[in-house]
Amino acid sequence: MSAYERIADLSVTIESVGRRRYTADTTSGFERTTTEFRLAGDGLVGRGEDVTYDTPDHDALAGTDPIDLEGEWTIDELSAALDDVDLFAAKPPERETSRHYRRWALESAALDLGLRQADASLGEFLGIEPEPVRFVVSTRLGDPPSADRVDELLALDDDLEFKLDPTPDWPDSIFERLRETGAVRIADLKGWYEGTDVDVPADPELYRDVLAAFPTAVVEDAAFTTGTRPLLEPQADRLSFDYPIDGVDALESLPVEPGWCNVKPSRFGTLESLFETIAYCREEGIELYGGGQFELASGRTAIQTLAALFYPDGPNDVAPGAFNDPDASPPYPRSPLEPDDDAVGFEF
């Protein structure tokens, strides 16, 4: 029985739907806004975080009535009902990908509530023992770029590992310093992003430098062009994809059979697609690790829980929120993260 089949018939009773908005500054220099959907029933609350990046999409929720989900459902019935609900009824989203983000918030909140009403954790329900979660710290190197942030964190904890976003303006000195640390586990080239503040052109010279400087690192979201393809195809076993992956079909349509997949659950929208993709990757021998999206609330514990159950030893981009908080100060949590033996629902 698949993971989704195990939760599909889980019952959940919803008596009300609420929302809470979160806003915080980040170490990446932008203000993050998310909305947490809260489903209440039987004196319990299930939470799921909408990680839509565009603040106007969260603003549009103000003054709107909560989505009508009251009643008794199974997880599968609720998911089917959401197929017919416009989760952006007030206005279309700034980006179509946000429809998946909000769908994930509601489905994960329903799963959280259903598990709490069953007095069980996700691991208990699936029959999987959670394991300590290895994490990497995702950070940017500033403008102009400098390795100072990496050096500062390594001075506090020399076991830390990193997910970094190389750009064409990195000087040779940064590549040399980062290679010396031996701490870069993922180089995210962001070659598949379009129309965002973090787009990075598919520069063959940059790709060549990244592949040479970090010979054992996972290389994420490299774009295939006539100039980059000859560099990338021989490295397929360490290529990973994130931005375009929203299900099995997306994996099968990639220009190469990747060695890795970054699992960001909100990109999949539904619980069924998430668990189907995890199962597919396992069957195909594709290594997994979890990804984060600057979650401010329950979304972070959800991605940590999934990592603990399905890919605890991967270079998981699920670090505690302190690493994204410009006001946080040492000591910071250390990797690996230990799961809570008393967790219920989607708690870590």
Side-chain angles (χ1 to χ4, degrees):
M1 183 179 293
S2 70
Y4 184 71
E5 288 171 336
R6 289 181 181 276
I7 65 169
D9 292 330
L10 174 66
S11 62
V12 56
T13 300
I14 301 173
E15 297 168 357
S16 66
V17 179
R19 300 186 298 256
R20 177 173 293 182
R21 178 168 168 145
Y22 291 85
T23 302
D25 291 329
T26 70
T27 53
S28 293
F30 71 97
E31 184 180 75
R32 182 67 163 119
T33 298
T34 68
T35 298
E36 186 176 72
F37 284 81
R38 299 183 163 199
L39 310 184
D42 294 344
L44 300 166
V45 178
R47 297 170 172 84
E49 190 171 2
D50 175 5
V51 296
T52 295
Y53 280 98
D54 300 287
T55 300
D57 288 336
H58 298 282
D59 294 341
L61 287 169
T64 63
D65 293 330
I67 299 165
D68 182 10
L69 295 177
E70 295 180 11
E72 296 184 4
W73 311 84
T74 65
I75 293 297
D76 195 57
E77 288 170 346
L78 181 65
S79 181
L82 287 173
D83 286 341
D84 299 322
V85 178
D86 183 1
L87 302 180
F88 288 82
K91 78 169 191 64
E94 300 289 310
R95 284 174 271 200
E96 282 300 303
T97 52
S98 298
R99 294 191 184 277
H100 279 175
Y101 298 165
R102 189 158 294 171
R103 176 72 173 263
W104 166 254
L106 287 161
E107 292 212 10
S108 60
L111 177 59
D112 186 35
L113 178 58
L115 289 167
R116 291 177 186 278
Q117 290 172 341
D119 193 25
S121 69
L122 180 58
E124 289 171 336
F125 208 82
L126 296 178
I128 303 173
E129 186 72 25
E131 297 183 26
V133 174
R134 169 193 179 192
F135 70 81
V136 299
V137 174
S138 180
T139 188
R140 297 178 189 171
L141 300 190
D143 185 18
S146 162
D148 290 352
R149 170 71 171 161
V150 170
D151 286 334
E152 290 167 3
L153 290 172
L154 286 174
L156 299 170
D157 179 0
D158 59 10
D159 289 327
L160 270 182
E161 300 175 309
F162 294 87
K163 176 180 182 287
L164 303 178
D165 302 346
T167 61
D169 61 347
W170 277 19
D172 290 344
S173 59
I174 285 187
F175 283 105
E176 292 166 2
R177 172 59 193 138
L178 293 175
R179 180 168 185 167
E180 287 173 359
T181 69
V184 178
R185 292 292 167 262
I186 305 173
D188 185 357
L189 293 171
K190 296 195 179 301
W192 288 68
Y193 285 74
E194 295 181 359
T196 75
D197 293 335
V198 297
D199 295 8
V200 178
D203 180 349
E205 184 175 349
L206 172 64
Y207 284 27
R208 189 177 294 108
D209 288 343
V210 167
L211 293 167
F214 313 120
T216 62
V218 174
V219 177
E220 186 175 295
D221 275 358
F224 280 68
T225 68
T226 55
T228 64
R229 184 178 294 274
L231 300 171
L232 297 172
E233 286 183 338
Q235 304 283 341
D237 61 343
R238 66 182 180 116
L239 297 185
S240 175
F241 293 89
D242 158 25
Y243 183 81
I245 305 305
D246 57 9
V248 171
D249 288 347
L251 273 168
E252 292 181 333
S253 66
L254 290 171
V256 68
E257 294 182 7
W260 294 82
C261 179
N262 180 351
V263 179
K264 288 185 177 175
S266 57
R267 292 214 191 279
F268 299 89
T270 67
L271 290 160
E272 183 174 19
S273 180
L274 168 68
F275 288 122
E276 180 184 49
T277 304
I278 291 173
Y280 173 85
C281 287
R282 286 183 159 187
E283 292 168 1
E284 297 298 318
I286 300 172
E287 299 285 345
L288 298 170
Y289 59 95
Q293 292 180 283
F294 293 93
E295 294 85 357
L296 302 179
S298 56
R300 193 170 298 256
T301 55
I303 62 176
Q304 291 170 344
T305 296
L306 290 167
L309 297 177
F310 294 103
Y311 28 86
D313 298 323
N316 294 292
D317 181 17
V318 301
F323 289 100
N324 300 130
D325 183 355
D327 296 324
S329 58
Y332 296 114
R334 299 176 72 94
S335 179
L337 298 173
E338 293 287 340
D340 184 351
D341 293 336
D342 296 324
V344 293
F346 228 146
E347 287 181 357
F348 177 68

